Amino acid sequence: MGNSSLSLDHTSGSGFESKRVFLFGKIEMELKLVPGNSAGTVTAYFLSSKGPLHDEIDFEFLGNLSGDPYTLHTNIFAHGKGDKEQQFKLWFDPTEDFHKYSILWNQNNIIFYVDDTPIRNFKNNEAIGLPFPNSQAMKIYSSLWDADDWATRGGLVKTDWTKAPFTASYRNFNADICCLCSGSNGGWINQALNSTEQEKMRMVQENFMIYNYCTDFQRFPQGLPQECSIA
Ligand SMILES: *[C@@H]1O[C@H](CO)[C@@H](O)[C@H](O)[C@H]1NC(C)=O
């Protein structure tokens, strides 16, 4: 597949969804984000099931004013419950070149990668009664939309429609998904981070994480979500 693009103007955004649904997979996509003044735009790329108690795994890129950095937003919904946001700055300008953003989703782990560097690992903690997305098949979605009411400084900065249409490009979309997961799929079905990768992820989180629901005591006065106290 060659380059394709998503675009946004005042009347409509754009997006695509996969035809197939799948339970577990390794999804890779190279994206080049809206350049210049992209404040108010959100480029999203996510997996989601349907229905009220849905599961979802999100990558979202919140645009910014020219010269100000994008925010990479991640979230996970398990059986309808989200509120697991972690946000990062990137260590490169994501509008300059294509970079690869991947999601690995198997029985035990959800791992988010940026150019093969793991940035987040959400683990299956069903053993202590916490929900994990492993029973509902998902589709892949990608979209570019206008969210200037919340995306940029809580709505303080508005989208500059004189710069429209906004365009983000993607290429080399690759989905290695489970139809009959029998172990012959490049090993990802049993993949977990090894100690070198865990160390890399720790470094990224230390240097580039700008929000972590697991340290937001104000938001969870009753106590942080249970998974936060498990390494
Ligand atoms: C835009 O950049 C400013 C300045 O660095 C930062 O405080 C803000 O969080 C950024 N907004 C988004 C949506 O990333």
Side-chain angles (χ1 to χ4, degrees):
M1 188 164 114
N3 283 13
S4 303
S5 64
L6 294 167
S7 75
L8 171 69
D9 63 23
H10 213 330
T11 51
S12 68
S14 69
F16 69 80
E17 64 178 73
S18 63
K19 288 205 186 83
R20 299 175 75 167
V21 296
F22 52 93
L23 191 62
F24 309 125
K26 178 152 192 195
I27 317 298
E28 301 178 336
M29 176 133 79
E30 290 186 17
L31 282 168
K32 188 168 155 183
L33 301 175
V34 175
N37 182 357
S38 59
T41 69
V42 175
T43 305
Y45 146 45
F46 58 101
L47 313 183
S48 183
S49 68
K50 291 220 149 75
L53 295 178
H54 82 296
D55 295 329
E56 187 176 317
I57 304 171
D58 294 325
F59 255 129
E60 288 181 3
F61 302 87
L62 315 185
N64 215 330
L65 296 169
S66 296
D68 281 339
Y70 264 77
T71 293
L72 168 52
H73 175 98
T74 64
N75 199 3
I76 291 160
F77 286 72
H79 302 193
K81 175 109 178 55
D83 297 336
K84 306 183 202 314
E85 299 87 351
Q86 289 186 347
Q87 296 185 335
F88 302 82
K89 289 275 174 262
L90 294 164
W91 46 95
F92 50 81
D93 178 352
T95 70
E96 195 112 303
D97 275 308
F98 283 95
H99 289 269
K100 186 166 77 179
Y101 304 92
S102 323
I103 296 170
L104 182 144
W105 171 40
N106 64 27
Q107 283 278 7
N108 298 311
N109 290 285
I110 292 168
I111 305 172
F112 294 81
Y113 297 87
V114 174
D115 288 333
D116 298 321
T117 298
I119 62 164
R120 176 172 189 180
N121 185 189
F122 184 81
K123 293 184 180 160
N124 183 332
N125 282 308
E126 282 185 315
I128 57 162
L130 301 178
F132 184 82
N134 57 6
S135 59
Q136 307 186 75
M138 307 217 220
K139 277 187 178 183
I140 303 164
Y141 299 84
S142 182
S143 64
L144 178 56
W145 46 286
D146 173 41
D148 70 0
D149 52 337
W150 67 275
T152 307
R153 298 177 204 180
L156 287 180
V157 180
K158 293 293 173 196
T159 306
D160 180 359
W161 292 108
T162 66
K163 300 292 188 311
F166 299 97
T167 305
S169 310
Y170 59 91
R171 70 177 188 195
N172 296 342
F173 171 70
N174 182 36
D176 196 358
I177 57 181
C178 261
C179 298
L180 285 169
C181 264
S182 54
S184 60
N185 27 48
W188 60 262
I189 196 68
N190 294 311
Q191 200 174 326
L193 295 179
N194 64 30
S195 57
T196 311
E197 290 166 323
Q198 281 173 21
E199 179 57 19
K200 270 193 181 172
M201 182 172 74
R202 202 186 57 76
M203 295 288 285
V204 169
Q205 293 183 346
E206 208 171 282
N207 293 301
F208 297 96
M209 189 186 270
I210 51 177
Y211 177 79
N212 184 2
Y213 76 112
C214 277
T215 55
D216 195 343
F217 294 96
Q218 262 181 331
R219 183 174 167 199
F220 301 104
Q222 260 55 283
L224 295 173
Q226 248 186 305
E227 69 269 17
C228 295
S229 54
I230 302 167

